[in-house]
């Protein structure tokens, strides 16, 4: 969401134009990637590596794209539970970049990708801040001087004077 800055908070500052730009950009990139994959597949046909290798290549890109789509889509809704596992799947997501681009395009039709997750985190942090802020209002010295119920374990102060 670096492209959006903080415009997603109030959905101002050209938010709709940026979101449309992201949708068009991700779709254009996905189409360009299809052409690149098509040229790679044609290169394999020219090299006459056989239909088995071509089938493996198509299956590999299909499976990796499906995994990348799912991981990217889930990443827009919640933070990964195990970041080490996400790091291990980085190469699979790189091979299946088509799935990530399509997920990015579809998500940008509804909102800025990752906006829902960041909005929930922002609202949670704002609510926590407000709770902390309201509990700290007033003079702390005045609160400490208030006579209140004495804890049972605390000894009573001795009166000075007669012994």
């Amino acid at each position: 969401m670096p492209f959006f800055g903080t415009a997603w908070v109030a959905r101002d500052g050209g938010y709709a134009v940026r979101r449309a730009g992201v949708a068009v950009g991700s779709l254009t990139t996905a189409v360009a990637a299809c052409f690149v994959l098509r040229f790679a597949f044609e290169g394999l046909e020219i090299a006459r590596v056989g239909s088995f290798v071509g089938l493996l290549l198509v299956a590999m890109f299909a499976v990796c794209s499906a995994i990348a789509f799912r991981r990217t889509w889930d990443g827009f809704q919640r933070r990964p539970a195990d970041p080490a596992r996400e790091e291990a799947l980085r190469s699979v997501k790189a091979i299946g970049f088509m799935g990530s681009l399509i997920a990015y395009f579809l998500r940008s039709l509804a909102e800025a990708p990752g906006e829902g997750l960041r909005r929930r985190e922002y609202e949670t942090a704002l609510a926590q801040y407000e709770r902390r802020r309201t509990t700290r209002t007033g003079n702390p010295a005045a609160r400490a001087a208030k006579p209140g119920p004495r804890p049972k374990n605390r000894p009573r102060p001795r009166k000075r004077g007669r012994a």
Side-chain angles (χ1 to χ4, degrees), residues 7-138:
W8 58 270
V9 176
R11 294 186 174 174
D12 60 351
Y15 171 82
V17 174
R18 289 181 191 184
R19 208 176 87 207
V22 166
V24 168
S26 61
L27 185 61
T28 304
T29 307
V31 169
C34 286
F35 283 119
V36 169
L37 289 178
R38 177 66 187 155
F39 293 142
F41 191 73
E42 286 177 1
L44 289 176
E45 287 177 353
I46 292 170
R48 296 184 188 161
V49 293
S51 61
F52 181 70
V53 174
L55 183 65
L56 283 177
L57 184 70
V58 169
M60 176 196 63
F61 273 109
V63 169
C64 290
S65 290
I67 292 171
F69 178 88
R70 183 66 181 172
R71 291 291 181 168
T72 304
W73 191 263
D74 287 345
F76 293 144
Q77 297 172 354
R78 62 182 168 274
R79 297 278 179 205
D82 187 10
R85 183 176 167 99
E86 281 299 311
E87 187 66 29
L89 288 173
R90 178 184 257 178
S91 60
V92 172
K93 288 172 75 173
I95 293 169
F97 64 98
M98 288 294 299
S100 292
L101 289 171
I102 292 170
Y104 207 81
F105 167 71
L106 291 175
R107 193 58 164 188
S108 64
L109 294 176
E111 65 181 9
E115 176 186 348
L117 173 66
R118 292 198 178 171
R119 186 172 297 283
R120 282 192 307 271
E121 291 174 348
Y122 172 75
E123 289 171 356
T124 302
L126 192 61
Q128 288 173 350
Y129 171 77
E130 287 300 323
R131 275 197 310 268
R132 285 192 310 260
R133 178 97 172 116
T134 56
T135 58
R136 285 199 265 163
T137 57

